[in-house]
Amino acid sequence: MKNLLLLGDSIRMGYDSFVQEKLKGRMNVFFAEENGRFAQYTYRALSDWKGLLALPEIDVVHWNNGLWDVLHLNCNSSGCDGEAEGETISPENVPADLQFDKDPLTPPEVYRYMIGRVLTRIHQLFPGAEVIFATSTPVIEEQATWAYRSNTEIESYNQIAREVLIPRGVRINELGKFATEKCQHLHRDWVHYNDEGSSLLADEIIQFMDQEKLL
């Protein structure tokens, strides 16, 4: 059987076990327990994960980074883990003691650079593997917590990823579009999906790989 490596943030952590279970007997599925967070974090941790998981030769890498990269942190908040739930706030309704950073965690030009570096590292560590990049899924903006993301900005980062990765032979799984159309009612908080939503994302990932003849 072929070997699949799933890389990504907490959205990936929601669907990875579903992908593994649904592909049982068809494909070996590997993933780190750790959150891949932002692009630079994935770049730094990738070789560590390879060693920790004692990975075999990988045939397919399905990867995402972006939701952490577009994050506008609240400079008057502490204990932020990047994914926490909290009170409902937005840039138009910010309590007096909160203040969002103007710039996202990873500015666009840095994201463009780092997403290319992550791809280079994937090729270095898993030569010959087919690479799929999954676009970032939408959020419920009005339920932003100690930090803020906008769907407009998420899509702009998805477009950066397309521009960088498609010319380098990466297949784009439009997971963000799928989630917008099929999973909007299945959020368990402002960012994440409940089990039904994560299972649907897993189905879409498997269908995409099947269409691309990668299973």
Side-chain angles (χ1 to χ4, degrees):
M1 290 190 295
K2 290 184 176 181
N3 298 314
L4 167 66
L5 175 62
L6 299 175
L7 299 173
D9 53 34
S10 59
I11 300 300
R12 185 272 303 168
M13 295 171 75
Y15 62 65
D16 52 22
S17 60
F18 287 102
V19 174
Q20 188 175 59
E21 179 64 27
K22 291 169 186 285
L23 284 177
K24 187 176 292 184
R26 300 178 65 192
M27 199 173 203
N28 299 313
V29 180
F30 302 89
F31 48 85
E33 296 297 326
E34 188 178 7
N35 192 325
R37 305 187 184 190
F38 43 96
Q40 193 167 21
Y41 190 92
T42 292
Y43 175 79
R44 166 60 186 86
L46 191 49
S47 58
D48 294 341
W49 295 333
K50 180 180 180 181
L52 181 66
L53 295 171
L55 292 174
E57 182 176 345
I58 295 297
D59 300 288
V60 182
V61 175
H62 186 280
W63 153 54
N64 80 287
N65 283 120
L67 280 176
W68 277 63
D69 297 277
V70 303
L71 196 68
H72 293 259
L73 294 170
N74 167 12
C75 67
N76 289 329
S77 181
S78 61
C80 303
D81 70 356
E83 307 292 350
E85 299 179 53
E87 297 179 359
T88 299
I89 53 178
S90 72
E92 291 73 37
N93 183 31
V94 183
D97 60 336
L98 301 183
Q99 182 178 345
F100 293 122
D101 289 346
K102 177 182 177 181
D103 294 325
L105 181 64
T106 308
E109 64 275 13
V110 179
Y111 181 73
R112 182 180 296 274
Y113 170 70
M114 285 308 308
I115 213 75
R117 287 196 74 181
V118 176
L119 177 61
T120 297
R121 182 54 53 90
I122 290 172
H123 286 323
Q124 290 170 339
L125 295 174
F126 310 107
E130 295 287 346
V131 182
I132 302 167
F133 184 84
T135 55
S136 293
T137 51
V139 299
I140 304 174
E141 294 178 11
E142 61 270 23
Q143 291 182 10
T145 59
W146 51 265
Y148 186 73
R149 298 172 172 99
S150 78
N151 288 319
T152 297
E153 198 163 30
I154 288 171
E155 177 50 31
S156 72
Y157 276 52
N158 285 339
Q159 182 57 28
I160 289 171
R162 296 182 193 103
E163 292 170 1
V164 172
L165 300 176
I166 290 175
R168 295 182 62 180
V170 174
R171 307 173 198 228
I172 304 297
N173 180 1
E174 296 290 351
L175 201 64
K177 180 180 179 181
F178 176 86
T180 299
E181 295 174 350
K182 304 294 185 181
C183 303
Q184 284 288 64
H185 62 297
L186 299 175
H187 277 272
R188 64 174 171 83
D189 57 41
W190 73 301
V191 177
H192 306 96
Y193 298 92
N194 59 24
D195 283 350
E196 183 181 355
S198 292
S199 182
L200 283 177
L201 294 177
D203 288 339
E204 195 282 333
I205 290 165
I206 293 168
Q207 181 178 347
F208 181 85
M209 290 194 297
D210 196 19
Q211 291 174 342
E212 296 290 316
K213 304 187 186 307
L214 294 175
L215 293 182

